[in-house]
Amino acid sequence: MQVVVLLAGVVDPKWRLDRLGLRPGTELADESGLPRRLSPFDEAALETALKLRDADPAVRVTAVLPGDVGSDALLRGVAAFRPDRAFRFDTSGLAPWDPRAAVRLLGLAVGAACGCPDLVLMGREFGDCDDGVLPAALAEAQGWRFCGLAHAVAIADGRFVAHRIRGPREELLRLPPPALVSITNDRGNRLRHPLMKNVMLAKRGPVEVVTPQAGAIPRAVVARSLAVVPPPQRGAGACRILSGPVDAQVAELAAYLRARRQAAAP
Amino acid sequence: MMRRIVAVVLLGEPALTDPFGAVAAAAELAGSGRAEAILLARPEDAEAAAAQAAREGAAEITLVTDSGLSDPPQPEHWLELLAGLLAEDARGMLLLLPGGAVGEELAARLTMRLDAVPLGRCGRIVEDGARLIAHRAAYGGRAELVLETGAPRCIATMRRPAAPPKPAADPVIRRADLAIPFAADAPRPEVLPAAADRPKRVDAARIVVSGGRGMGGPEGFALLRELADMLGAATGASLPAVDAGWASVSQQVGQSGAFVAPDLYLAVGMSGTPQHLAGIAPHSRIAAINSDPEADIFRVAEVGLLAPWQEVLPRLIATLRDG
Ligand SMILES: Cc1cc2nc3c(=O)[nH]c(=O)nc-3n(C[C@H](O)[C@H](O)[C@H](O)COP(=O)(O)OP(=O)(O)OC[C@H]3O[C@@H](n4cnc5c(N)ncnc54)[C@H](O)[C@@H]3O)c2cc1C
Ligand SMILES: Nc1ncnc2c1ncn2[C@@H]1O[C@H](COP(=O)(O)O)[C@@H](O)[C@H]1O
C-alpha cells in the first residue's frame, strides 16, 4: 500500500511579518529571513500517514516537500519521523500563483514518489498561499477519489475510511484507491515527537532532491503584488478595558452580556 | 465582450448558512442589471428561491431542478449538475460559489471539469476590461495577494458583502429540469448518528463564547459551555484548543474553520491572531477576557476584562444565574 504525503510548510505564524513582497522583476515571493515550519495541517497529514503505517506494516509512506533549498532544514525535520522515503521536489524559480500550474507540478511530485499511489494525503490548505483549492483540484485533475477536511483515516477491506464533520453532520466516507484525502487538525492527529536519535541521524544524513522534468507549464494567472497588510479595523476602534475591583468588573461584564443576549433574542 | 458574472445557489445544502451570499457578492461586483444566478434545487424548493435571488440582486435567474437530488444532496451530485450545465457554454464567465467548505471544494473541482482557472477565496474582484484582478488573503491573513488573469473562465468563492444588496426589479427567469445521472459508484457518506451532547452549531449562532489555548484544560471549557448555555450561545474554540482536545473540530473558528457572524463574540484565553480573527465577521462585536494587557484581542474588542479566566468565569456564571 503506497501512501504519499505532500507537505507544504508555512512561514512560522508566530514570527512577525514586517516585510514581504515579490522579488523585484520576478513573481517570486521574497521570504528571506523568515523561518519555515510545517503548518498544523501538514503535521496532521504526516501523523495520519504514520498512523496508517503503525496499523499496517505493509503501508509504505513517502513524504514529499515541494520547495527550494530553503526547505531543506524542514525536510530534515520530516525525515526524523522516519517515513520510508522523504525528498524535496525542487520547485526553485517557479512561482506558485497559478493553481492549475501548481496542480500540474504536484501531480509530477506524486509521480516522482511512486507510479500509482493508493492514497495521497495533504493538509486542508497547502502552504501560505492556498486556501484549500489545491487538494481538491489535484484529485480532480488526476481522477482520484476525494474527501476534503477529514480528521481521521483508517484502512478497512482495501478502502480508506475517512472521518469528517461537514456542517451539522458527522460522516464516514469509504473511498477505494486511488484517493486523495485532505486533513484538518484534530486532537487525534497531533504530530508525535520524533526520537532524538532520529533527529540527529536526519541532521547528518543527505537530503534527497528530485528535479522535475516539467518542461514549460502554461500559466494563466500572474501575481501583481504581495504585501503585508495591517489587521482590518473592527468595532469602534477603542476597547473599553473594565476597571475597579474584580467583582465590579464581573458585574459590568454580566450587564453587558445580558444586554447582548436581549438584543440577540429572536 | 464583458464576461458573465454568475453566482451559484445550492439549495438544501445543510453545510451552508448563507446560501445566497454569493448572489449578493455577484450583484455588487457586476453592477446593476448584470448579475446572474444559477439555482440548483429539488423542484419543491425552487420558486421561493427565485424570488429570494431577485431580492439579492440577480437580474437573470436560471432555476435548475433535478428530482433525483437526494435530501440532503450529495456534493458529487452538485458537481455533476454544474459541470453538465456549464460544460457546453463557451462564453466568458466568472462563476461565484458560496464561501465555506462545500462551496470551496466544488469551486476547486469544477475548475478542472470546465477547464477554468480557480481564484480561491476572494475578498474582492475587479474587472479590468476582459481581465480580472482578484484580491485574496495569504500568509494567514497577514498579507494580501493580488492576482491577475485573462482566462475566459474563472471560478472563485465569495462571502456576502457588507453593503445590503439592491434588489433586481424585473428579473428574467429561465427554467431547466434536468435529470443528471448521478454515478452509482460515487461514494456516498455514511452519516453517523448525532451524539446527544453534540455542540450547538457555531456558524449559525447569534452569540458565540469561545476559548483558546489560555483555557489550559478541559475544566475551563466546561465553564465556557455553562456560560454559553445561559446566554443561548454556541461554544467555539481556537486551533490550539481543538488540538488539545478541549473542543471538537466542528467548533474551530478561523481561517481554517468555521466562519461565524454572531452579534457578540466572547473570546476567552485567546490572543487574537489574524488566523483566528479571519473566521469572525467584521461586523461582529468582540468582548475579551485575557490576563495579558498586551494581547492583540484587546485591539479588536469593544469590551475587555483584564484578568485570568479562573477569577472571572465562576463569578460571571453566578452573577448571571442570580438574575
Ligand atoms: C495555516 C494555518 C492556519 C491556521 N488556522 C487557524 C484557525 O483557523 N483558527 C485558529 O484559531 N488558529 C489557526 N491557526 C493558528 C494560529 O496561528 C494561532 O496559533 C492560534 O490562533 C492561537 O490560538 P490562541 O489564541 O488560542 O492561543 P495563544 O495565541 O497561545 O493565546 C493564548 C492567550 O491566552 C491568554 N491566557 C493565558 N492564560 C490565561 C488565563 N488564565 N486567563 C485568561 N487568558 C489567559 C494569553 O494571554 C494569550 O493571549 C492557524 C495557523 C496556521 C499556520
Ligand atoms: N503557531 C502555531 N500555529 C498552529 N499550531 C501550532 C502553533 N504552535 C503550536 N501549534 C500546535 O500545537 C502543538 C504544540 O506546539 P507548541 O506548544 O508550540 O510546542 C504543535 O503540535 C502544533 O500542532
Side-chain angles (χ1 to χ4, degrees), chain A residues 13-14 37 40 43 190, chain B residues 213 239 243:
Chain A
K14 288 184 181 134
R37 54 167 287 165
E43 293 186 350
R190 284 188 66 165
Chain B
R213 187 170 358 226
L239 180 145
D243 280 359

Side-chain angles (χ1 to χ4, degrees), chain A residues 197-252:
Chain A
K197 175 187 78 171
N198 293 334
V199 173
M200 299 317 288
L201 274 175
K203 272 207 175 114
R204 284 197 299 267
V207 174
E208 186 188 351
V209 180
V210 175
T211 306
Q213 305 294 310
I217 296 181
R219 294 176 52 207
V221 179
V222 296
R224 271 198 171 181
S225 67
L226 172 67
V228 175
V229 289
Q233 287 291 320
R234 282 173 184 268
C239 177
R240 185 161 60 92
I241 301 277
L242 304 180
S243 57
V246 173
D247 279 326
Q249 293 186 36
V250 167
E252 207 174 335

Side-chain angles (χ1 to χ4, degrees), chain B residues 282-300:
Chain B
H283 65 75
S284 295
R285 299 159 191 271
I286 297 177
I289 302 172
N290 197 303
S291 51
D292 175 8
E294 301 296 321
D296 284 335
I297 193 74
F298 291 131
R299 295 175 200 272
V300 292

Side-chain angles (χ1 to χ4, degrees), chain B residues 12 31 41 49 55 60 76 105 113 130 191 198 228 251 256 263 278 283 287 304 308-309 322:
Chain B
R55 282 196 296 278
E60 276 185 52
E76 308 279 339
E105 176 184 325
R113 302 278 184 107
V191 178
R198 187 180 57 185
Q251 291 166 279
S256 326
D263 177 50
H283 65 75
W309 63 261
D322 291 344

Side-chain angles (χ1 to χ4, degrees), chain A residues 10-14 37-41 124-125 127-128 130 185, chain B residues 140 142 211-216 237-241 246 252-258 268-279 289-297 305 307-310:
Chain A
V10 289
V11 169
D12 190 333
K14 288 184 181 134
R37 54 167 287 165
L38 293 181
S39 86
F41 315 121
R124 61 182 287 169
E125 288 148 28
D128 273 319
D130 176 48
N185 62 296
Chain B
R142 295 176 295 169
R213 187 170 358 226
M215 298 313 290
S238 69
L239 180 145
W246 307 330
Q252 181 163 310
V253 171
Q255 152 197 339
S256 326
V268 188
M270 46 176 63
S271 62
T273 58
Q275 291 90 347
H276 188 77
L277 296 174
I289 302 172
N290 197 303
S291 51
D292 175 8
E294 301 296 321
D296 284 335
I297 193 74
L305 203 160
W309 63 261
Q310 291 88 338

